[in-house]
Amino acid sequence: MNKKADQDNVDTIVAQQLSFDSLNVKSLIDEIISEASNENIQNVKNIKNEKLVDIYSKINDLVEELVIEYGIDPQNINVEDINNEVTKLALVEIIGNKNLIQTSKVSKQQGLASQKGQFGISFSVGGAGVNAATVEMKMELKSDEKIEYYDTVVQDAIGTLMDQNGGSNVSISPAQIYRKMAGLEPGEKVSQNCEKEIIESVDKMRWTRAWIDFKEQAGKHKSLSIGFEEATLEGALVQADKLTAKIGGHQKMVYYFYRPPLSYIYSQRVNQIATVESKLLETSGVGQKDVGSKTRRNTKEFICLKHFLAKEIEFMKYQKNKGQPYESRRKYETIFQTIGAENITDKQMRRLREDVDFILSLWVEREYIKEYEVYKKGRAYTGVKICL
């Protein structure tokens, strides 16, 4: 009798453990994902500190129930491991269908800083008057290259994929980076040429030495809660090693990233990371009925154009939500210069204007923006006015 009773007790415990692992925790993950998906997540720090605090509390309640009501030895339950696994699962779901984009001035000034080299640059952030603070930045490249807008887009993709992994070290292939940048689904084919462009960008940033000093900003903007020792970043712009891994039955080169890019870390610490739906960036027609017969190939230039427009719209939305006045117009000249399309012919200019029209028309259909219109100066097309 005693043996049977003991066995019944073991069966009950095992059943409850299975319920705990596969049912209760899953429902909690679904709950937190549902809540998080309804809001504009600014950065992963907020997800961890605000969105997952309830789930940890409920997991602890479940563990207590297992211990008290079912007699499970608490030594056999590693709550920290459970919390970590739930965090990763939730982050994959929450961030997996999103792109995180730097909106900080540091991210925008990387090109200039890389041109100035060891002399560096300094610029003001945080508004005017007493809130204004100086940030200093230096970037030294091994060659006469510079950090381009495309490199910033690559940084954002790396940062997003690392945050999706909970911010820990992770192996990422060039194809994964490209898919995230282009808004493609996992597993979609990526050409060797596109992978080569990613490799050239990452390798350039691996050999770029960067230094960012924002102690004055941390001191003046107490709400950021940045310690003095956290307000200086120094090291490789992207810290990663090249490794070989087996992917899909084939040996492939991957990067093993030790941390997010330096500029991305800065943007996280000052809460200047915008979030957009990855499907918003999908314009190749795969799984998208609203693209229709007119699709666009994800060239470097076109990826940069989508990224820049999304960044500008997110900044406009941020200002609107804060009740601040915002400039709804964007000049073609500024857009094209920012993404690196300089000294272009009239034919190239027309094609870029058509690309802007294509993207914004699609985003109206997808209800990302309300409408837009092209404005002129005299008889010349000058730019676009975006209505939120």
Side-chain angles (χ1 to χ4, degrees):
M1 284 291 290
N2 288 339
K3 285 185 178 180
K4 185 179 185 305
D6 288 343
Q7 185 59 49
D8 288 344
N9 188 41
V10 170
D11 290 342
T12 301
I13 292 171
V14 171
Q16 179 62 22
Q17 284 177 311
L18 289 173
S19 173
F20 175 72
D21 290 335
S22 63
L23 181 62
N24 291 325
V25 170
K26 185 179 184 305
S27 67
L28 290 172
I29 293 172
D30 290 341
E31 178 185 332
I32 199 67
I33 290 168
S34 175
E35 290 177 6
S37 297
N38 290 331
E39 296 184 18
N40 181 29
I41 302 164
Q42 290 300 314
N43 54 51
V44 176
K45 187 190 296 183
N46 287 344
I47 296 173
K48 288 182 179 178
N49 291 348
E50 297 172 15
K51 300 298 176 187
L52 294 176
V53 66
D54 290 338
I55 198 169
Y56 293 155
S57 174
K58 290 170 184 175
I59 287 174
N60 287 329
D61 290 342
L62 281 173
V63 170
E64 188 175 344
E65 182 181 328
L66 290 173
V67 172
I68 295 174
E69 295 193 18
Y70 295 94
I72 294 178
D73 187 346
Q75 302 263 336
N76 296 329
I77 304 173
N78 191 323
V79 179
E80 185 177 350
D81 282 351
I82 295 171
N83 284 349
N84 289 337
E85 287 305 308
V86 170
T87 301
K88 285 187 178 181
L89 288 169
L91 289 173
V92 166
E93 293 297 326
I94 294 169
I95 303 178
N97 61 356
K98 289 179 169 59
N99 279 56
L100 306 181
I101 297 176
Q102 303 175 73
T103 59
S104 68
K105 199 166 183 178
V106 161
S107 70
K108 298 173 183 177
Q109 294 287 341
Q110 292 181 90
L112 179 59
S114 66
Q115 287 179 301
K116 293 292 185 180
Q118 63 180 337
F119 298 103
I121 61 171
S122 61
F123 47 88
S124 179
V125 298
V130 295
N131 290 322
T134 298
V135 171
E136 297 180 48
M137 180 164 62
K138 293 179 185 178
M139 285 191 185
E140 296 183 50
L141 282 73
K142 288 188 68 175
S143 65
D144 58 356
E145 295 179 297
K146 71 171 185 176
I147 300 302
E148 300 172 334
Y149 192 85
Y150 183 77
D151 301 317
T152 305
V153 185
V154 172
Q155 290 174 16
D156 287 346
I158 294 168
T160 301
L161 290 167
M162 291 197 73
D163 283 342
Q164 183 179 315
N165 192 56
S168 55
N169 302 356
V170 63
S171 295
I172 305 173
S173 70
Q176 286 175 299
I177 295 172
Y178 179 84
R179 291 189 194 103
K180 178 54 70 175
M181 291 164 58
L184 302 179
E185 292 292 324
E188 284 192 49
K189 186 173 177 57
V190 176
S191 71
Q192 288 186 345
N193 186 56
C194 292
E195 288 194 34
K196 182 184 175 184
E197 291 171 347
I198 297 294
I199 292 169
E200 288 174 353
S201 173
V202 175
D203 284 352
K204 175 172 62 176
M205 292 189 286
R206 288 170 65 221
W207 295 107
T208 298
R209 186 79 181 172
W211 177 77
I212 307 169
D213 184 336
F214 55 110
K215 291 193 287 290
E216 186 173 327
Q217 183 182 14
K220 287 191 174 184
H221 298 257
K222 302 295 185 184
S223 60
L224 294 174
S225 300
I226 300 172
F228 190 75
E229 68 286 350
E230 298 176 293
T232 302
L233 301 172
E234 185 175 5
L237 186 54
V238 168
Q239 189 175 23
D241 290 333
K242 278 185 176 180
L243 305 173
T244 301
K246 198 169 186 178
I247 302 174
H250 302 282
Q251 293 294 327
K252 298 272 188 177
M253 188 278 286
V254 299
Y255 289 104
Y256 186 77
F257 292 95
Y258 293 94
R259 55 158 172 76
L262 276 192
S263 172
Y264 190 91
I265 294 173
Y266 166 83
S267 299
Q268 279 186 319
R269 290 188 180 173
V270 298
N271 297 327
Q272 291 178 356
I273 298 276
T275 308
V276 300
E277 297 289 335
S278 297
K279 62 183 179 183
L280 193 72
L281 304 175
E282 210 299 291
T283 52
S284 62
V286 179
Q288 299 290 344
K289 294 180 181 178
D290 54 1
V291 173
S293 59
K294 288 187 176 181
T295 60
R296 289 294 191 276
R297 199 164 58 87
N298 281 302
T299 61
K300 287 176 68 171
E301 193 174 75
F302 191 67
I303 285 175
C304 289
L305 192 56
K306 289 189 290 185
H307 185 279
F308 176 79
L309 290 172
K311 178 190 288 190
E312 293 300 294
I313 290 170
E314 286 301 316
F315 183 65
M316 288 162 57
K317 288 186 174 185
Y318 170 80
Q319 290 178 304
K320 182 181 179 182
N321 292 337
K322 290 284 187 180
Q324 300 172 357
Y326 64 91
E327 176 55 67
S328 60
R329 296 177 300 174
R330 294 297 185 272
K331 290 183 178 180
Y332 286 130
E333 183 182 13
T334 302
I335 295 172
F336 302 150
Q337 284 182 352
T338 302
I339 67 171
E342 299 176 341
N343 302 318
I344 55 178
T345 64
D346 290 342
K347 183 178 179 181
Q348 291 172 317
M349 175 69 80
R350 282 196 302 273
R351 180 177 54 77
L352 283 168
R353 288 203 305 264
E354 288 172 0
D355 285 344
V356 171
D357 185 70
F358 174 87
I359 294 167
L360 294 180
S361 296
L362 198 59
W363 288 354
V364 170
E365 289 185 44
R366 293 177 181 175
E367 299 181 344
Y368 182 52
I369 59 175
K370 185 180 292 184
E371 59 184 358
Y372 78 97
E373 62 183 48
V374 176
Y375 69 90
K376 294 181 177 182
K377 185 176 182 181
R379 298 177 61 184
Y381 294 105
T382 306
V384 288
K385 181 179 179 181
I386 301 170
C387 302
L388 304 179

